[in-house]
Amino acid sequence: MPPLPADDYVLGTEDAEVERLGLQHLVWRPRASDAWRRAGFTTGQHLLDVGCGPGYASVDLAAIVGRSGRITALDQSPRFLERLADRAARAGISNIERVQLDLDSGALPRLSADGAWCRWVFAFLKNPRGLLARISDALKPGAPIVIHEYFNYASWRLTPRQPDLEEFVQVVMSSWRSTGGEPDIALDLLAWLPQHGLRIEETRPIVDVVSPDNFVWQWPSTFVDVGLSRMAALGHFSHERAAQIKELFRRAAASPDTRMVTPAVLEIIARKA
């Protein structure tokens, strides 16, 4: 597989991925909002959205901090940041600062933030510990960081068992690792946080078992379509094999007796000492 451009992601930045990320955020918004509330995100604060992508969470965070607060949204993809700019303009939001940087090595802006939010970012980096150290340096004493990262991505499966989906999950995990990432990075973050001056306050495992008519189903389900196409484009699957797995998944989803176990996410709330 050829190396990805510096501003690209394993999962891509095309329109289909932007749309998938939007649906993913809708599924996860209640849990993210609850974690932000428990961490103490509120009006007037300056918050970091690390790895903001197209900015779905950035817009929600901007509503929380209000006009007296501000959001610094960090991402390495100019395409994603342009989408965030469009989204903020349509919503009449002017308190989001967009910063393009390499999350593996780029220096964060010099600031003393009141909090930080990071979802499914560390898993894709070659130097996730370095980013954690830079986030810690950017927070003021007492500021929280809220993290959602996988700790057992391979928990994603169907019942009745569907070996083809499990094959796809393993290929996705291998593709992350081939570019230096680690799908189950939350296990490492638990050890690193205290070493970088961040006291862990809460940890919550998040995993669901859902039927096809549950809205949560749509989060992993839409990734099957986009992810298989992306894995085929990167040479991890033939296009024929990708189409075959899509069809097998479609048939499984058509049965009301099918259940999906979602990839296991760890919610972490930590605070700068």
Side-chain angles (χ1 to χ4, degrees), residues 227-272:
L228 277 166
S229 296
R230 179 66 171 174
M231 292 300 104
L234 293 174
H236 295 291
F237 277 119
S238 69
H239 290 281
E240 293 75 16
R241 179 59 176 149
Q244 181 184 37
I245 295 175
K246 285 183 186 181
E247 175 59 21
L248 291 167
F249 184 82
R250 186 194 65 77
R251 292 177 188 173
S255 170
D257 296 326
T258 299
R259 295 294 181 272
M260 179 190 293
V261 183
T262 61
V265 172
L266 189 64
E267 178 182 283
I268 305 170
I269 299 177
R271 197 169 298 274
K272 179 79 173 285

Side-chain angles (χ1 to χ4, degrees), residues 154-169:
S155 68
W156 182 16
R157 57 189 64 196
L158 295 179
T159 176
R161 294 283 294 269
Q162 175 57 268
D164 300 272
L165 176 67
E166 294 174 24
E167 175 191 352
F168 168 57
V169 170

Side-chain angles (χ1 to χ4, degrees), residues 7-9 17-18 26 50 60 73 112 116 138 142 146 151 168 175 182 184 188 196 238 244 248 259 269:
D7 60 358
D8 200 1
Y9 292 100
E17 177 63 2
V18 171
L26 283 177
V50 183
D60 286 350
S112 183
V146 180
F151 71 94
F168 168 57
S175 75
E182 172 47 55
D184 296 337
D188 298 309
H196 291 283
S238 69
Q244 181 184 37
L248 291 167
R259 295 294 181 272
I269 299 177

Side-chain angles (χ1 to χ4, degrees), residues 201-214:
E201 291 189 343
E202 292 188 39
T203 55
R204 297 189 180 194
I206 301 173
V207 60
D208 293 302
V209 181
V210 296
S211 58
D213 61 354
N214 189 302

Side-chain angles (χ1 to χ4, degrees), residues 52-224:
C52 64
Y56 297 103
S58 300
V59 169
D60 286 350
L61 289 167
I64 290 172
V65 302
R67 294 186 180 277
S68 60
R70 62 191 175 110
I71 305 300
T72 298
L74 311 173
D75 205 272
Q76 66 189 35
S77 167
R79 179 178 172 82
F80 278 168
L81 291 173
E82 288 169 8
R83 291 302 186 96
L84 169 54
D86 293 342
R87 185 164 290 107
R90 289 196 302 270
I93 295 171
S94 59
N95 61 343
I96 300 177
E97 176 191 12
R98 294 170 291 115
V99 179
Q100 182 187 356
L101 57 79
D102 183 340
L103 295 174
D104 256 316
S105 59
L108 271 64
R110 296 181 63 85
L111 42 81
S112 183
D114 297 297
W117 160 244
C118 193
R119 176 171 60 194
W120 298 318
V121 173
F122 291 104
F124 294 97
L125 301 180
K126 299 180 181 68
N127 183 22
R129 185 165 183 167
L131 176 61
L132 183 64
R134 284 176 277 131
I135 294 173
S136 180
D137 289 343
L139 294 174
K140 65 174 57 173
I145 178 172
V146 180
I147 299 170
H148 281 177
E149 290 283 357
Y150 299 111
F151 71 94
N152 184 14
Y153 192 82
S155 68
W156 182 16
R157 57 189 64 196
L158 295 179
T159 176
R161 294 283 294 269
Q162 175 57 268
D164 300 272
L165 176 67
E166 294 174 24
E167 175 191 352
F168 168 57
V169 170
Q170 290 301 318
V171 167
V172 170
M173 294 175 71
S174 295
S175 75
W176 289 359
R177 288 172 174 146
S178 71
T179 57
E182 172 47 55
D184 296 337
I185 193 65
L187 300 174
D188 298 309
L189 289 170
L190 289 175
W192 296 339
L193 283 159
Q195 296 170 11
H196 291 283
L198 295 157
R199 183 182 70 256
I200 297 171
E201 291 189 343
E202 292 188 39
T203 55
R204 297 189 180 194
I206 301 173
V207 60
D208 293 302
V209 181
V210 296
S211 58
D213 61 354
N214 189 302
F215 185 47
V216 171
W217 177 282
Q218 298 303 315
W219 159 48
S221 176
T222 54
F223 179 65
V224 172

